[in-house]
Amino acid sequence: MADTQHIFMRFSAKTSEWAGKPVTFVLALILVILWAVTGPFFDYSETWQLVINTGTTIITFLMVFVLQNAQTRDTRAIQAKLDELILTSHAENRFIGIENLDEDDLKHLDRLVAKAAKGGQAEKQAAADAAPKSTKTATAVRKKIDAARSQKDKRKTAPRKAPQKS
């Protein structure tokens, strides 16, 4: 099963990469033009129309799953990178894991962050306090944050200034 998932992951990554290229669009456009040009030869029959309708429907149906797989993996990778940036910066670590909140909580948090962006320490604290506290995910995230904080203290950091060349 894991091998099948790996194969599908590689297939979806290559397919979505290929589907996003300009040459793919040009090929699809040429195919549609060729289909349209053949209309008079087939007297614009129902079968002629069915060919393009069926073909495009099947391709669209399959591409939804392929592209969703690629997008989900990309989103997870970006989220992991953002979490790492939060952990290694002076940003509020409570924001890690907020992607698991429901829509209403995210809207509320977004409003608080917007107020905090306009200034005022009280609003910033309110936004930080609004980060997930009651969800099961938030508890697990906080444990990971605490572990990451202890690891962060142990990390070696690069000097702030490059050494002067003699």
Side-chain angles (χ1 to χ4, degrees):
M1 180 75 175
D3 191 40
T4 306
Q5 288 177 344
H6 182 68
I7 291 170
F8 181 70
M9 180 193 69
R10 286 189 7 226
F11 170 77
S12 67
K14 290 291 184 186
T15 303
S16 65
E17 182 181 326
W18 181 76
K21 292 185 177 186
V23 69
T24 307
F25 173 78
V26 171
L27 289 173
L29 183 64
I30 290 170
L31 184 64
V32 170
I33 291 170
L34 286 174
W35 169 80
V37 168
T38 62
F41 299 111
F42 294 101
D43 292 326
Y44 301 101
S45 68
E46 288 183 18
T47 304
W48 173 79
Q49 292 177 28
L50 190 60
V51 167
I52 195 74
N53 290 338
T54 304
T56 56
T57 301
I58 291 171
I59 290 170
T60 301
F61 178 74
L62 295 175
M63 286 301 290
V64 165
F65 299 104
V66 169
L67 294 176
Q68 184 61 49
N69 178 274
Q71 183 180 5
T72 300
R73 281 184 294 102
D74 287 347
T75 301
R76 285 184 185 150
I78 290 170
Q79 191 62 49
K81 291 174 186 179
L82 288 172
D83 289 348
E84 178 64 14
L85 287 173
I86 290 171
L87 286 171
T88 59
S89 71
H90 295 291
E92 182 61 49
N93 288 345
R94 291 185 188 177
F95 286 97
I96 293 177
I98 65 171
E99 67 273 7
N100 298 312
L101 294 176
D102 64 18
E103 189 65 26
D104 290 337
D105 290 339
L106 284 174
K107 285 180 182 177
H108 176 69
L109 186 60
D110 190 39
R111 286 191 298 271
L112 292 173
V113 171
K115 286 180 185 178
K118 292 179 182 176
Q121 209 53 24
E123 288 88 359
K124 287 181 184 179
Q125 185 59 43
D129 292 342
K133 291 182 180 177
S134 61
T135 63
K136 293 177 185 176
T137 303
T139 305
V141 168
R142 276 197 195 75
K143 288 179 183 177
K144 289 179 183 178
I145 291 169
D146 292 338
R149 281 182 183 159
S150 65
Q151 288 295 328
K152 182 180 172 184
D153 294 338
K154 296 177 186 176
R155 290 184 185 178
K156 294 181 180 179
T157 57
R160 293 183 187 254
K161 283 181 145 182
Q164 296 289 334
K165 291 186 180 180
S166 307

